[in-house]
Amino acid sequence: MFDNYFRKEINWGGKTLVLETGKIARQADGAVMARLGDTIVLCTAVGARSVKPGQDFFPLTVNYQEKAFAAGKIPGGFFKREGRPSEHETLVSRLIDRPIRPLFPEGFRNEVQVVATVLSHDLENEADIVAMVGCSAALTLSGIPFFGPVGAARVGYINGQYVLNPTAEERKASVLDLVLAGTAEGVLMVESEASELTEEVMLGAVEFGHRSFQPVIQAIIELAEVAAKDPWPLAEESEATKALKARIAELGRAEMAVAYTETQKLVRQEKVAAVKKKVIEALEAEGADVAAAKGLLKELEADVVRNNILDTGRRIDGRDTRTVRPIVAEVGVLPRAHGSALFTRGETQALCVATLGTGQDEQIIDALTGEYREDFMLHYNFPPYSVNETGRMGSPGRREVGHGKLAWRAIHPLLPEKEKFPYTIRVVSEITESNGSSSMATVCGTSLSLMDAGVPLKRPCAGIAMGLIKEDRGFAVLSDILGDEDHLGDMDFKVAGTEAGITSLQMDIKITSITFEIMKIALEQAKEGRLHILGEMAKGLTGHRTDVAATAPRITVITVPKDKIRDVIGSGGKVIREITEQTGTKIDIEDDGTIKVAATSTEAAQRAIDWIRGIVAEPEVGVIYTGKVVKTAEFGAFVNFLGAKDGLVHISELAQERVNKTTDVVKEGDVVKVKVLGFDDRGKVKLSMRVVDQATGADITEQVGARRPRPEGEERGERRDRGERGERRDRRDRPERGGEAAE
C-alpha cells in the first residue's frame, strides 16, 4: 500500500535522526516525519498551483503546532482542546520561516503553507530543531521551487566546550542557547541567548553549528534523490518585463536618487511616493502593465539605495557606515511607575515601563515539557501611529511577540537571582516612533527602566542592529540601520550585550548566505556601536537605584520550619487570609518554608511578619512577652502571648501580694507582660506576671525573691495557692485536733 515509502537514518551527534516520507499525509506536496530520539514532528508543505490576481508579494505561511497528546497530557482550560497558538508556538513558527523564506525564487508569488505538528515529545530532545529539519526536507521533496535544503542545530556552551543539540537537562548548565540554520554554503539565521560571551565565542558557536548540520543537509539530499517530486517549472523573465524595467529606470532613476538624499524620514517618504506616482502615471498613459510596474519600482528603489551606499559610503540619512544616530536617554519619566525610561535614537523611540510584583503575579506556562512559572515578562507593542499609519489595534502579532522575546533574551541573563531580588518583573515597551531597530531600542529602554526601578542588573545592556549591502563588486556592513536599509538591504543582524560581552544575537539573511568573514566584521562593528550606546545611556543613569520606588511593594523574605507551614496557612487558608486582610499585605508561601511578605509600607509588612513569627515561634523559658488576657478563672488567667499560643498565669503568679480573686488583678482584654516559667507535664506553658514590672517590662525576679522567699518545695504554677496551704496550717493548730486537745 505504501509503495512510495522511503526512509533515511543517520547518526547525528550521537543520536539517531530519522526522516520518513510516503506513509503519512500523502496528499500534501511534501510530507516528512522527522524523528530525533522519541520526539517526532510531522512536517508538510503545500503550494498553490497559480498566483492570485494582483498578488505582489510572496504569501508564505509557517504554522508550528504542539499537540498535548505528544506528551501524554490533556489540554487545560474549559474546552479541553488546543486553541490559539502559544507564545512558544509562535516563536518556533518564526524560527522555521526565517531561514526558508530567502530560498524561494525572486518573483515567486504562489501561496505556500508549511505546517509542523509535534506528535511525540520525549521531554529531552527539543521539537523546534526537529521541526526545522523536517520542514526543510518536506519542501525539498515537494517540487515547489526551493533552493534548499536547509539544516539546523542548537548549540550549547558548557565548561568551555560547544555541545550539539544539548538535552533539556544539559541546557540548564549551558551559558549559551543558540539556534542556527543555513545551507551548505553558509548561515541564514541565528537566534541566541548568552551569558555575556565574547564575540569570538559566539562566532565559534556559529561555525561549530554550521559544520554540525552538514550531515543533515546531505541526508535530505539523498532522500530527495529517491523520493522528490518533479520540480515545478520556473517562469523566466520575459522580454516585455525587461523592457518595462528599462523604461521604469529611464523615467524614475534620477528623481529617485534625488528623493533619497532627503534625510528626514517622513519628508523622504513623500518625495519617493511622488516619484512613484509620476512614473505610474506616465506608464498608464503609455498603456503599460501598471500592476507589474509597481513591483519593478521596488526593485529600482532598492538598486538606487544599495548602489549609492557602495559607491559613496554614505547612507540615506547622510551617515557613514559606522556612525550611530544621536541618542537621548531619560529615566523616571512616569511619576507613578515603579521604573520608566524614554530611549530615543534618531527617529526610533521606545517608552519602557517596569512594574514590580509578587509571586502571585508570576505567569503560569503550561508547556509540553511541564508547567512552570515565569517571573520576568517583557511585552513589546508596535502601534501604527509609530510609523505614521492607521491600522487595527488588537492582540500582538508574530512580529511583536518575536521582538519582545529577542529583548527578553538580551536582558534575562543579567537579572539578579530570585533569592536576592524576590520580585516578579514585567516590562512593557511602547514603540512611539520607529525608523529601524525598535527591538534594540527596547533592549536599551528596558535596561534603563529596570535600573530606575531598583532592579540590581549585573550591568547595563544595550543593543544595536547591523545591516549589509552585498553585491558582486563588494559589500558594506552598516551600523544602526534605518527602516529603509533593513527593508532594502541583505541582512538584519542584531547584537545586544554589556561592556563585558554578548547576551543576545539574532541574524536574518535575505540572500542565500553570508560568509563568516562578513559575520566577524559585523560583530566587531557591533561591539564598537554597543559600547558607544552604553556610554550615551550612562548620561541618563549609570547603575541601578539603591532602593525600589515608593509605589512598589517591599518584599521581605523569612523562613519558617516546613512543619509550621500548615499552622501559618490555617484550615482552608483561614489564618493566612486573616493576616493579609488585616495587614493589607500579599504573602507567598513556598513548600520549602520560604515566606515572602509584600507591602507598600514597612509597618504593614512588619505586622504580618510578627504575626507569622508568633505563629511558628516556640516559647522560651525565661523570656518576657507581651500578651492579652483571653480568659479568667478562679485559679488564674489565660494569656495569649505568642501568636496563637496561650499560657496560664496561676493566681499565685498574678501579683507580688496575695490575690483572693483573679479579676481583682486582671480582666479579659487586658494587655499584660508575662515571663515564661516553664511547662507542665502536659506541655502547657506556665507564665508569671508577678516577676515582671508591668510598667517597664523589666524582670524583677531577684527583688521579688528577696522580699518574699518561697518555702522549700513550693513550685510556681501549683494548683493550690498559698491561702489554701495557710488554712491547713491553721487547722493543724486548732485545739480540737486530736492529741493537742487532750493536752
Side-chain angles (χ1 to χ4, degrees):
M1 182 175 181
F2 303 115
D3 297 332
N4 295 317
Y5 172 76
F6 298 96
R7 186 176 191 271
K8 184 66 181 179
E9 178 179 319
I10 64 169
N11 183 300
W12 188 29
K15 301 175 184 177
T16 300
L17 175 68
V18 179
L19 302 175
E20 295 179 327
T21 187
K23 187 176 182 180
I24 296 181
R26 291 173 294 166
Q27 295 186 44
D29 289 322
V32 171
M33 188 84 81
R35 176 171 184 165
L36 187 65
D38 282 340
T39 296
I40 302 174
V41 184
L42 173 62
C43 303
T44 62
V46 176
R49 295 307 192 271
S50 60
V51 182
K52 292 180 179 179
Q55 186 79 49
D56 62 350
F57 66 94
F58 173 40
L60 170 66
T61 304
V62 177
N63 296 104
Y64 168 87
Q65 53 186 2
E66 295 180 336
K67 299 299 182 180
F69 60 72
K73 299 174 62 175
I74 295 176
F78 183 78
F79 293 104
K80 297 300 178 185
R81 70 174 297 165
E82 292 82 3
R84 57 178 295 182
S86 67
E87 181 180 279
H88 176 69
E89 289 171 311
T90 299
L91 292 170
V92 177
S93 296
R94 283 172 52 87
L95 210 59
I96 299 169
D97 182 296
R98 285 154 50 195
I100 65 175
R101 186 175 289 273
L103 298 181
F104 288 89
E106 186 176 352
F108 184 68
R109 297 291 184 266
N110 299 56
E111 184 175 1
V112 174
Q113 184 177 38
V114 178
V115 179
T117 306
V118 181
L119 302 180
S120 176
H121 199 303
D122 61 10
L123 309 184
E124 181 176 328
N125 297 289
E126 293 293 338
D128 52 2
I129 298 299
V130 183
M132 294 172 75
V133 171
C135 290
S136 169
L139 283 167
T140 304
L141 301 182
S142 68
I144 299 171
F146 176 67
F147 301 145
V150 167
R154 171 173 271 106
V155 179
Y157 193 61
I158 305 173
N159 297 326
Q161 299 294 321
Y162 296 117
V163 179
L164 176 64
N165 295 329
T167 65
E169 192 63 31
E170 288 174 328
R171 288 172 67 185
K172 295 177 182 178
S174 178
V175 294
L176 171 67
D177 183 16
L178 182 144
V179 174
L180 75 161
T183 62
E185 291 75 30
V187 177
L188 286 164
M189 185 276 297
V190 177
E191 183 86 55
S192 67
E193 178 183 337
S195 297
E196 296 183 288
L197 300 179
T198 65
E199 281 72 13
E200 291 75 20
V201 171
M202 295 298 289
L203 185 60
V206 175
E207 292 176 332
F208 171 81
H210 184 254
R211 288 195 307 270
S212 298
F213 62 59
Q214 295 308 309
V216 176
I217 293 176
Q218 186 59 36
I220 296 174
I221 292 173
E222 293 175 6
L223 182 64
E225 288 173 349
V226 295
K229 296 180 179 178
D230 293 336
W232 295 10
L234 280 176
E236 296 183 1
E237 188 175 67
S238 65
E239 292 300 323
T241 300
K242 293 178 181 177
L244 181 59
K245 188 182 294 186
R247 180 59 178 153
I248 289 172
E250 181 183 349
L251 290 170
R253 177 178 289 277
E255 292 187 48
M256 187 73 75
V258 172
Y260 267 102
T261 61
E262 174 58 54
T263 59
Q264 296 295 319
K265 176 186 174 181
L266 296 181
V267 178
R268 180 172 64 249
Q269 287 178 339
E270 290 178 359
K271 290 184 177 181
V272 170
V275 174
K276 289 181 178 180
K277 182 180 179 182
K278 182 178 178 180
V279 172
I280 292 298
E281 288 175 348
L283 292 173
E284 280 181 330
E286 298 173 4
D289 185 350
V290 174
K294 290 180 180 179
L296 295 175
L297 266 170
K298 293 180 181 178
E299 294 183 18
L300 174 64
E301 190 178 355
D303 188 59
V304 167
V305 172
R306 294 165 63 88
N307 282 289
N308 182 64
I309 292 173
L310 291 176
D311 291 340
T312 67
R314 290 287 166 185
R315 296 156 65 179
I316 297 172
D317 58 358
R319 287 180 293 151
D320 60 28
T321 58
R322 307 179 80 95
T323 301
V324 177
R325 289 170 288 175
I327 291 173
V328 178
E330 304 172 68
V331 296
V333 294
L334 301 178
R336 293 292 297 174
H338 299 163
S340 59
L342 183 66
F343 180 84
T344 308
R345 185 190 58 240
E347 295 169 309
T348 296
Q349 187 178 75
L351 175 63
C352 297
V353 185
T355 306
L356 304 181
T358 67
Q360 298 175 22
D361 299 310
E362 291 178 341
Q363 183 178 13
I364 302 173
I365 309 294
D366 185 16
L368 278 186
T369 53
E371 184 178 288
Y372 66 94
R373 292 176 176 266
E374 184 58 68
D375 57 25
F376 173 49
M377 296 159 280
L378 199 158
H379 299 145
Y380 167 101
N381 296 314
F382 193 87
Y385 67 76
S386 65
V387 287
N388 192 34
E389 294 178 356
T390 60
R392 184 181 64 87
M393 300 283 286
S395 58
R398 286 188 173 189
R399 179 180 178 277
E400 289 173 298
V401 172
H403 279 30
K405 191 63 175 182
L406 171 59
W408 184 95
R409 290 192 182 100
I411 298 294
H412 184 247
L414 303 172
L415 293 174
E417 297 176 358
K418 190 71 174 177
E419 293 74 20
K420 297 181 180 178
F421 194 77
Y423 287 89
T424 296
I425 303 170
R426 180 187 185 230
V427 176
V428 177
S429 174
E430 296 287 341
I431 303 304
T432 52
E433 293 182 33
S434 181
N435 187 14
S437 192
S438 57
S439 62
M440 294 297 95
T442 295
V443 172
C444 301
T446 297
S447 176
L448 289 166
S449 68
L450 288 174
M451 292 190 297
D452 184 49
V455 180
L457 295 181
K458 294 178 182 176
R459 273 170 286 275
C461 184
I464 186 171
M466 311 298 293
L468 174 69
I469 304 295
K470 185 175 182 289
E471 299 286 353
D472 293 338
R473 60 194 179 96
F475 68 88
V477 175
L478 313 178
S479 295
D480 182 25
I481 56 175
L482 300 173
D484 286 337
E485 292 169 339
D486 182 7
H487 175 64
L488 302 174
D490 298 321
M491 177 180 75
D492 185 7
F493 191 16
K494 297 170 181 175
V495 186
T498 68
E499 61 181 12
I502 295 172
T503 57
S504 183
L505 188 152
Q506 183 187 86
M507 182 182 74
D508 292 307
I509 303 298
K510 300 174 186 177
I511 53 180
T512 55
S513 66
I514 63 169
T515 64
F516 289 108
E517 176 194 1
I518 293 176
M519 284 190 66
K520 184 177 181 181
I521 293 172
L523 281 170
E524 292 174 350
Q525 203 164 311
K527 181 178 181 180
E528 175 188 308
R530 185 174 81 245
L531 295 177
H532 167 74
I533 296 171
L534 285 169
E536 295 299 302
M537 288 169 57
K539 295 177 182 178
L541 192 62
T542 56
H544 67 85
R545 303 202 186 279
T546 56
D547 198 5
V548 297
T551 54
R554 306 298 174 105
I555 297 182
T556 306
V557 180
I558 61 174
T559 303
V560 302
K562 291 183 181 179
D563 58 354
K564 297 292 184 181
I565 294 176
R566 183 182 304 173
D567 298 333
V568 177
I569 296 174
S571 177
K574 178 181 178 182
V575 175
I576 195 67
R577 190 163 52 247
E578 183 182 3
I579 297 173
T580 57
E581 289 175 354
Q582 293 195 21
T583 62
T585 59
K586 286 185 177 181
I587 301 174
D588 297 322
I589 303 177
E590 299 178 8
D591 293 340
D592 63 355
T594 300
I595 297 180
K596 300 171 185 175
V597 180
T600 54
S601 72
T602 305
E603 295 77 12
Q606 194 58 49
R607 283 179 59 204
I609 291 169
D610 290 343
W611 195 329
I612 293 170
R613 284 177 173 162
I615 293 172
V616 302
E618 294 293 340
E620 297 182 44
V621 176
V623 175
I624 295 173
Y625 298 91
T626 299
K628 180 186 288 187
V629 177
V630 293
K631 184 180 179 181
T632 60
E634 291 183 5
F635 51 82
F638 291 96
V639 177
N640 174 234
F641 69 99
L642 186 61
K645 292 181 175 60
D646 295 344
L648 173 65
V649 180
H650 192 267
I651 192 169
S652 62
E653 295 293 339
L654 285 173
Q656 297 177 25
E657 63 278 0
R658 177 175 174 175
V659 177
N660 293 319
K661 191 177 181 182
T662 302
T663 52
D664 289 342
V665 180
V666 293
K667 60 181 181 297
E668 290 185 15
D670 284 355
V671 175
V672 297
K673 294 178 173 59
V674 293
K675 180 177 180 179
V676 177
L677 300 178
F679 306 89
D680 64 18
D681 54 3
R682 293 179 299 169
K684 301 297 183 181
V685 184
K686 298 189 292 185
L687 305 173
S688 174
M689 290 171 52
R690 184 174 66 88
V691 296
V692 182
D693 187 322
Q694 294 300 308
T696 65
D699 190 337
I700 56 174
T701 303
E702 293 183 1
Q703 301 175 33
V704 173
R707 188 159 51 249
R708 192 172 70 84
R710 290 181 177 277
E712 186 175 349
E714 183 179 342
E715 294 181 7
R716 282 175 284 185
E718 288 181 312
R719 287 294 203 188
R720 300 186 302 267
D721 64 21
R722 298 179 197 85
E724 294 172 335
R725 289 194 294 269
E727 289 175 5
R728 282 191 287 274
R729 284 196 297 270
D730 291 343
R731 285 195 295 270
R732 277 199 308 269
D733 296 337
R734 290 173 186 169
E736 59 268 25
R737 289 289 302 270
E740 297 173 3
E743 291 180 2

